[in-house]
């Protein structure tokens, strides 16, 4: 499974498409959750779009990332059932674990 090299005006360009697709295919499936009757699904953290960091500011801000991924309507639904900050921590830790990340490891840090 080698990457194809393309000649482009006298220089070689290494295509990473196949390697990236292989990495994406190996990601775990999204995880469905239920908390106090509210259902929601979270994708593996490494599948989050890159622009999310720009919106949230820091992918280590798991609670901010969680709010952005769930969207305003789902967050409002969770507020309605009395979710607490400690509950968000439980979600965040389980989400990290099911995403194959160590606690506190951001999706971007795994490649560095």
């Amino acid at each position: 499974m080698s990457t194809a090299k393309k000649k482009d005006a006298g220089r070689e360009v290494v295509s990473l498409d196949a390697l990236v697709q292989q990495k994406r295919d190996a990601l775990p499936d999204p995880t469905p959750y239920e908390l106090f009757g509210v259902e929601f699904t979270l994708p593996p953290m490494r599948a989050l779009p890159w622009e999310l960091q720009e919106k949230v500011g820091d992918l280590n801000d798991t609670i901010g990332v969680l709010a952005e991924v769930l969207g305003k309507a789902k967050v409002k639904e969770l507020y309605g059932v009395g979710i607490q900050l400690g509950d968000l921590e439980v979600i965040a830790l389980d989400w990290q674990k099911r995403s194959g990340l160590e606690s506190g490891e951001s999706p971007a840090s795994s490649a560095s």
Side-chain angles (χ1 to χ4, degrees):
M1 153 185 27
S2 64
T3 58
K5 291 184 180 183
K6 301 175 189 175
K7 283 279 192 182
D8 183 14
R11 65 186 181 104
E12 289 187 26
V13 178
V14 177
S15 173
L16 298 173
D17 296 351
L19 292 174
V20 166
Q21 191 59 52
Q22 179 185 16
K23 185 103 172 166
R24 288 180 180 192
D25 290 345
L27 290 172
D29 290 331
T31 302
Y33 289 98
E34 183 270 328
L35 179 62
F36 303 130
V38 177
E39 292 186 21
F40 53 95
T41 300
L42 296 173
M45 288 181 164
R46 286 191 172 103
L48 294 173
W50 188 12
E51 68 266 13
L52 185 61
Q53 181 156 352
E54 208 172 280
K55 290 180 183 176
V56 176
D58 183 359
L59 289 180
N60 285 318
D61 175 11
T62 310
I63 293 173
V65 171
L66 182 64
E68 187 67 33
V69 169
L70 290 177
K72 291 179 182 179
K74 191 56 72 173
V75 168
K76 188 174 181 178
E77 193 176 350
L78 287 166
Y79 287 163
V81 296
I83 194 167
Q84 299 176 351
L85 189 56
D87 304 336
L88 290 174
E89 185 178 349
V90 170
I91 295 167
L93 290 172
D94 192 75
W95 186 23
Q96 287 176 330
K97 182 180 97 181
R98 292 178 188 276
S99 292
L101 301 176
E102 295 296 321
S103 179
E105 178 185 3
S106 75
S109 71
S110 63
S112 52

